[in-house]
């Protein structure tokens, strides 16, 4: 009891003296930017928020595909303690909107003229029933192939543009005693390779029918069977230690010359950049075999959850505006390897890979080759995406035939 009286007395004196700390508005942000380039990008946003007098509570959950983060988010929302914002993508924004837990941030969007600076394909994903509920951070291109040119040179191979050339290069790399394809045996990584294979084998229109519209005839077609045959052949060039390997460790294999090629989105470039590597010299960024006229997009965004109190709501709008500022969009995307979601960001500091991504996105948005990534939550609802991902993972880890996989894919497309 004496201790309690002493504590109360100290607090009373502090209040009278005006020395109690003032608790600034705070934002708690759930994200899974935990690898090198990504982590630096998150730190930049924290810095911007703190410069605006808003404290940052980091809620980072490791796992490149975001599954662990989504599990943590569901637990928090169910407990009635949602974070200020969470890294969410595509159809999942609509699913959370249906739950009635997302905040209307039209005030920030109006102030920043988001409708004018965002491509329609991007702004549409950020809205729920016509109102902004999320702020886009970037656009990733998923259908990249990352190549170490020194490995190609040692093997006497050339950079591939189609699957025949890809397998010719892979054979030479394997013969040279190196790993042809760096890969992490995790379901989301398997799905990342799969969607690029489907796009390369069937083209953008087939991809849309099969992977976005989930057309049953396309899912069981000879073209899909050929895609699985191609995936089965790719498996033979992956090393035996791939199971469970994180994506950035697979990227490190290419960086260090242990492996020749990796199928991965352009967040992989952040790892090359962090290692001091130069595009065109130390590494090549090529469209995945057969996909040079297409662009699979993955948009990172922060969805805003309902928060209580005027201070917290104001801090949330400050966060939304910070995310959409040209200053942050430039530094984030330079670190992460992606391209800005909004117009009006200088291209001056972006490298050749990013500039190619910007130009290809513009071209494919006009040609019809711009398609949403299924593997990264942009194309279909989470139940169907999960069921399809399970089929691909089973195919990658068993002797399942291509015909059986195509039939299983059509069945998974009906998941609810």
């Amino acid at each position: 009891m004496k201790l309690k009286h002493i504590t109360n007395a100290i607090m009373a004196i502090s209040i009278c003296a005006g020395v109690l700390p003032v608790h600034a508005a705070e934002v708690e942000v759930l994200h899974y930017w935990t690898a090198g380039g990504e982590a630096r990008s998150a730190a930049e946003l924290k810095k911007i928020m703190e410069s605006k007098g808003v404290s940052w509570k980091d809620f980072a959950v490791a796992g490149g595909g975001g599954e662990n983060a989504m599990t943590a988010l569901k637990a928090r929302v169910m407990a009635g303690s949602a974070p200020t914002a969470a890294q969410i993508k595509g159809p999942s924004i609509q699913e959370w909107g249906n739950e009635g837990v997302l905040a209307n941030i039209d005030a920030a969007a109006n102030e920043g003229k988001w409708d004018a600076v965002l491509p329609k394909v991007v702004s549409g994903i950020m809205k729920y029933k016509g109102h902004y509920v999320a702020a886009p951070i970037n656009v990733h291109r998923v259908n990249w192939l990352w190549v170490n040119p020194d490995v190609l040179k040692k093997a006497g191979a050339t950079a591939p543009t189609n699957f025949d050339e890809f397998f010719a290069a892979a054979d030479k790399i394997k013969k040279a005693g190196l790993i042809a394809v760096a890969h992490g045996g995790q379901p989301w990584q398997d799905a990342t390779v799969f969607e690029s294979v489907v796009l390369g084998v069937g083209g953008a229109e087939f991809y849309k029918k099969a992977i976005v519209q989930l057309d049953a005839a396309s899912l069981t077609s000879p073209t899909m069977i050929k895609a699985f045959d191609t995936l089965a052949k790719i498996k033979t060039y992956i090393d035996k230690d791939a199971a469970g390997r994180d994506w950035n460790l697979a990227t490190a294999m290419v960086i260090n010359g242990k492996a020749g090629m990796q199928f991965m989105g352009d967040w992989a470039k952040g790892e090359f950049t962090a290692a001091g590597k130069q595009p065109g010299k130390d590494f090549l960024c090529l469209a995945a075999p057969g996909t040079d006229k297409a662009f699979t997009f993955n948009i990172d965004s922060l969805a805003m959850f309902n928060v209580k109190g005027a201070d917290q709501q104001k801090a949330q709008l400050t966060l939304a505006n910070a995310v959409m500022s040209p200053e942050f969009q430039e530094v984030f995307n330079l670190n992460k390897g992606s391209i800005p979601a909004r117009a009006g960001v200088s291209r001056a500091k972006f490298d050749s890979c990013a500039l190619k991504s910007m130009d290809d996105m513009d071209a494919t948005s006009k040609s019809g080759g711009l398609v949403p990534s299924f593997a990264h939550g942009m194309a279909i609802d989470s139940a169907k995406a999960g069921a399809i991902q399970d089929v691909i993972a089973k195919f990658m880890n068993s002797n399942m035939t291509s015909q059986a996989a195509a039939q299983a894919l059509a069945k998974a497309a009906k998941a609810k």
Side-chain angles (χ1 to χ4, degrees):
M1 289 300 290
K2 278 183 181 178
L3 182 60
K4 185 178 177 184
H5 287 312
I6 293 166
T7 303
N8 288 343
I10 292 169
M11 285 183 71
I13 293 164
S14 297
I15 291 167
C16 292
V19 295
L20 265 189
V22 177
H23 292 287
E26 179 183 79
V27 291
E28 183 183 18
V29 182
L30 187 158
H31 63 87
Y32 44 97
W33 296 311
T34 55
E38 300 177 317
R40 281 202 310 280
S41 297
E44 287 295 335
L45 186 54
K46 176 183 178 181
K47 200 185 298 179
I48 290 170
M49 290 303 290
E50 289 178 344
S51 75
K52 295 177 183 295
V54 179
S55 62
W56 172 283
K57 187 176 181 183
D58 205 48
F59 188 178
V61 181
E67 299 94 337
N68 298 341
M70 290 308 97
T71 300
L73 178 61
K74 283 171 189 170
R76 285 287 300 272
V77 174
M78 285 176 69
S81 62
T84 312
Q87 184 186 350
I88 299 175
K89 296 181 294 191
S92 291
I93 294 172
Q94 304 305 310
E95 290 171 23
W96 283 110
N98 289 335
E99 297 297 322
V101 293
L102 296 184
N104 181 325
I105 56 168
D106 282 345
N110 292 336
E111 184 185 334
K113 297 182 172 59
W114 293 9
D115 279 342
V117 299
L118 290 173
K120 281 191 176 178
V121 70
V122 178
S123 62
I125 293 166
M126 300 302 119
K127 293 177 182 178
Y128 176 70
K129 292 186 175 178
H131 298 286
Y132 279 100
V133 293
I137 297 167
N138 60 355
V139 177
H140 278 296
R141 187 181 193 175
V142 181
N143 59 312
W144 283 115
L145 182 73
W146 302 94
V147 179
N148 185 316
D150 286 342
V151 171
L152 289 185
K153 193 175 178 182
K154 280 179 192 171
T158 54
T161 61
N162 56 45
F163 276 113
D164 287 342
E165 293 174 1
F166 172 84
F167 289 123
D171 282 333
K172 288 180 178 179
I173 293 167
K174 196 173 181 180
K175 196 174 178 182
L178 298 165
I179 296 162
V181 179
H183 183 64
Q186 296 171 338
W188 73 270
Q189 293 190 60
D190 295 338
T192 298
V193 179
F194 170 78
E195 73 176 17
S196 281
V197 170
V198 171
L199 190 61
V201 169
E205 287 309 310
F206 176 78
Y207 178 95
K208 281 186 245 185
K209 282 190 79 175
I211 304 299
V212 182
Q213 297 163 16
L214 302 177
D215 172 63
S218 300
L219 289 170
T220 55
S221 68
T223 304
M224 185 58 76
I225 290 168
K226 186 181 177 185
F228 274 112
D229 286 345
T230 304
L231 188 62
K233 193 170 180 181
I234 290 171
K235 277 200 295 182
T236 66
Y237 297 98
I238 296 169
D239 68 293
K240 62 180 174 54
D241 297 321
R245 179 187 288 140
D246 286 335
W247 69 269
N248 53 314
L249 298 181
T251 304
M253 292 165 64
V254 180
I255 293 171
N256 298 330
K258 292 180 180 177
M261 302 177 283
Q262 180 190 19
F263 290 87
M264 189 51 62
D266 53 18
W267 48 93
K269 193 185 68 177
E271 298 302 298
F272 285 98
T273 303
K277 305 298 182 181
Q278 298 295 318
K281 180 189 168 192
D282 304 309
F283 68 96
L284 307 177
C285 49
L286 309 175
T291 73
D292 59 315
K293 297 286 191 265
F295 187 118
T296 40
F297 67 83
N298 168 24
I299 302 170
D300 278 320
S301 56
L302 286 183
M304 304 295 167
F305 284 76
N306 290 325
V307 290
K308 293 174 183 174
D311 284 352
Q312 298 309 312
Q313 288 165 1
K314 187 178 176 184
Q316 186 175 62
L317 294 176
T318 301
L319 175 64
N321 277 323
V323 164
M324 275 289 287
S325 68
E327 170 198 10
F328 175 67
Q329 295 249 331
E330 180 186 67
V331 73
F332 183 95
N333 289 292
L334 285 169
N335 276 333
K336 197 155 189 291
S338 44
I339 59 176
R342 58 160 295 158
V345 179
S346 171
R347 290 166 58 115
K349 294 180 183 175
F350 287 91
D351 62 27
S352 56
C353 296
L355 295 177
K356 178 170 171 51
S357 197
M358 291 176 193
D359 292 341
D360 286 355
M361 182 177 175
D362 186 51
T364 56
S365 67
K366 293 168 185 169
S367 69
L370 185 63
V371 295
S373 167
F374 130 75
H376 296 274
M378 300 304 302
I380 52 179
D381 70 62
S382 54
K384 290 179 173 62
I388 290 173
Q389 193 168 272
D390 288 346
V391 172
I392 298 160
K394 185 178 179 184
F395 181 80
M396 290 292 283
N397 294 286
S398 71
N399 294 319
M400 189 181 201
T401 66
S402 297
Q403 288 84 354
Q407 292 296 327
L409 210 60
K411 188 177 178 184
K414 296 174 184 174
K416 291 180 181 178

